[in-house]
Structure formats: C-alpha cells, structure tokens
Amino acid sequence: MTDPNIVFGSALCIIFIGYALKSAGFIQEHDGKSLSKFLMHTTFPALVFSTMIRVNITWDLIYLPLIAMLFGMFLSFLAFHLFKQTEPENRGVMTIGSAGFNLGIFAYPLIEGIFGIQGLTYAIMFDLGNSVVNFFVNYGMGNYFSRGPKKDNIAAHIFKRIISLPPLQAMVIGVLVNVLQLKFPVFALDIISTIAAGNKPIVLLLMGIYFSIRLSKKSYLRVFQVLSLRYAMGFLIGGICFYVLPFELGFRNLLMLCLILPVGMTVITYSDELNLNTPLAASLVNISLVISFVIMWIMVSVFHMSAI
C-alpha cells in the first residue's frame, strides 16, 4: 500500500498540470472530450479487464452494485420531490445531479494507488450499479424534464447505450475469463497491462482540463442544495452500512468512500443534449470534484480508512 499523502499529493500535481495546460492555451476543453473518448475505448476497458481477470470473485461483491443502484434511485426520488418548486431546466439538473457518481474519471486512480487491486475490484463492482443509475435513472429523469422533443422508445435507446460501453463489455469478458479460468497469451496480457497503466495519468490530466467554475451567485444556492443532499445522505447511509454489514473492513471502507464521490460527468452530457441548465451541471461536477477530493484525503489520511 502506498502512502495516501503521496497518492493524493501526486494526483493533485498531475491535475494542476492539466489545468495549467488548459489555462495556457496548449489544450482546449474540446481536446479533453477527444481524450475522454480515447480513454473510454482504450485505457479504461484495459484497466477493468486486467483487474477482473486477477481478482478473487466472491459472493459479497454482488452487494456493491445493488447498494449503488438502490442508493442512486433513493437520491433521485428524494431530489425529484425536494426540488419540485424549482423551474424545470434547473429542477432537471438538480435531480439528475443528486444521483450517480464519478468513478472512472475521478476515483479509479486514487483507489488503485491507495488500495491496490482488491480495492479497485470493489470500485469496479460498485460502478456496475452506478452505471445503471447514470444511464437509466438519470437519463430517464433528464428526458422527463427536457425542454426539447421527447425521445421515442427511451428504454431501448438507453439499453443500447449501456451494452455498447467498452468498460462494461471489458468487465463481462474479464469475469468470464476469470470464472472459466481461461488462459490468455502472456504477450496479449502484457499489451493490455501496458495500455491499462496509462489510465491513471490520462484521467488525472482530464480532471484538470475539465475543471472550470462559471456560475452566477444565485445558482450557488442550487449547487449547495444538491451537494448537501448528496453528502449528507452519503455519510448517513455509508455510516449505517459500515456498522451493519457483516463484511471485511476493506469492503466497508471502500463502500463508505464510494458513497461520497463527486457528481457523474454524464450530468453535463445530458444537460447539453436535453436543453437543461448546462452551466449549473458543470458547476455541480467541478465543485463536487474538489469537495470529494478533500474529503477522501481526510478520511484516508486522518481516519486511516486505507485498510483493505
């Protein structure tokens, strides 16, 4: 296990490099979008696959996607009713911004550095349920509040998007290889592992490239409402699970950390596609990135939640 302060400190430096490159004009935000697509089709699925073929798959892992799905649906339900007095374009962002987490472009590098392969396994399994929330629940809610034309056959549209995700396909293939104990050529595994190693620096650079807060003072209240709901419920449910679930300490530590992760990047994509308040969505993502980064650092370094 690496010293958490080194992991967070080095991550912060790489994030700053990405932000500095964007601020100096060497990289534009649209370059970040291209880099994100590259990541989703190469390093990210390679990391997921190389992780899933090496782990010891146990029955307790099934609880992680279930908890992620139930928690996300619960938050979406709460937000839908709590923010009902807000105008539709803002209510839509506040509702979908209340559910779903950013694991791939935030948590994976930190969890891999601190907790290693076993911690990354927990995170990937949690992300499986989180993907259902991000792509089914949040996209459905966003379409409900959309000011544009409603999509026909939305369930089929969402299902097609999910099964076409390279990281999900890599996870399914990796689990099958693991369970069936299939043997891969060493040469192929070496190539996949080399590609996977590039995920961490690319993700951290992307965080710096995407970071930007442009928001009117009036909208900060909406950001405060959404993030207060997320973090309050995250700590509450996370604390209950930590003391109630009969699983090993590492499982409970990772679950607690996953429930206070930042708003998923898909909120920005959906807001832009569905004619909602995109600047509000971007601010939710960016402000939550900073808050979650600090909270995770404190929880791991001060409260020693790095046991696995």
Side-chain angles (χ1 to χ4, degrees):
M1 184 185 71
T2 307
D3 185 338
N5 290 316
I6 294 177
V7 173
F8 281 101
S10 61
L12 191 61
C13 290
I14 299 174
I15 292 169
F16 178 77
I17 290 172
Y19 182 76
L21 289 172
K22 183 186 71 171
S23 299
F26 292 111
I27 296 177
Q28 306 297 324
E29 195 159 312
H30 62 79
D31 296 322
K33 293 180 180 179
S34 299
L35 194 59
S36 180
K37 289 181 180 179
F38 172 79
L39 177 146
M40 289 296 293
H41 287 82
T42 54
T43 63
F44 196 5
L47 176 64
V48 171
F49 177 80
S50 62
T51 300
M52 297 311 296
I53 64 173
R54 289 183 290 165
V55 300
N56 179 28
I57 299 177
T58 55
W59 285 109
D60 59 339
L61 293 178
I62 197 65
Y63 282 87
L64 289 166
L66 289 176
I67 291 171
M69 283 189 288
L70 292 174
F71 183 72
M73 293 174 185
F74 174 63
L75 279 183
S76 183
F77 174 81
L78 277 182
F80 181 84
H81 292 283
L82 286 175
F83 306 135
K84 61 183 179 181
Q85 301 300 325
T86 310
E87 53 276 13
E89 66 271 19
N90 290 322
R91 185 185 177 195
V93 174
M94 293 171 76
T95 300
I96 64 177
S98 296
F101 301 97
N102 183 344
L103 274 89
I105 309 185
F106 176 81
Y108 279 11
L110 300 175
I111 290 173
E112 182 184 12
I114 297 168
F115 298 96
I117 184 70
Q118 187 61 44
L120 194 57
T121 303
Y122 291 145
I124 290 172
M125 292 304 296
F126 184 90
D127 202 17
L128 176 60
N130 179 57
S131 297
V132 174
V133 175
N134 278 328
F135 290 99
F136 268 104
V137 179
N138 280 351
Y139 191 79
M141 279 290 187
N143 194 72
Y144 175 82
F145 288 112
S146 175
R147 292 179 294 175
K150 307 294 182 182
K151 290 185 178 296
D152 296 325
N153 201 4
I154 187 171
H157 174 71
I158 297 173
F159 181 74
K160 183 178 179 180
R161 289 183 66 166
I162 289 183
I163 62 173
S164 65
L165 288 172
L168 179 62
Q169 295 170 347
M171 188 189 70
V172 172
I173 296 172
V175 169
L176 289 175
V177 170
N178 189 320
V179 172
L180 299 176
Q181 297 184 341
L182 302 177
K183 299 298 181 182
F184 259 68
V186 176
F187 178 71
L189 290 177
D190 185 62
I191 292 176
I192 294 171
S193 297
T194 302
I195 296 173
N199 191 74
K200 182 176 180 179
I202 293 176
V203 164
L204 294 173
L205 286 170
L206 272 174
M207 286 173 61
I209 293 169
Y210 277 131
F211 186 77
S212 176
I213 299 176
R214 304 184 187 93
L215 199 63
S216 65
K217 291 182 179 180
K218 182 180 179 181
S219 295
Y220 276 107
L221 175 61
R222 300 188 182 104
V223 172
F224 175 78
Q225 290 174 315
V226 173
L227 297 187
S228 295
L229 174 64
R230 286 179 62 94
Y231 289 112
M233 296 309 301
F235 278 114
L236 176 62
I237 302 301
I240 292 173
C241 290
F242 185 87
Y243 288 106
V244 171
L245 292 179
F247 301 127
E248 61 180 1
L249 181 62
F251 181 105
R252 292 178 287 127
N253 280 344
L254 256 297
L255 177 59
M256 184 79 177
L257 291 173
C258 284
L259 292 175
I260 52 90
L261 290 177
V263 178
M265 295 289 291
T266 51
V267 173
I268 300 176
T269 306
Y270 296 161
S271 297
D272 189 48
E273 177 185 341
L274 301 171
N275 297 308
L276 302 174
N277 189 338
T278 304
L280 177 60
S283 295
L284 281 171
V285 170
N286 287 308
I287 293 174
S288 66
L289 283 174
V290 175
I291 294 174
S292 291
F293 189 90
V294 173
I295 291 176
M296 283 186 70
W297 196 336
I298 292 172
M299 290 174 71
V300 171
S301 300
V302 177
F303 294 98
H304 307 293
M305 296 188 68
S306 54
I308 202 73

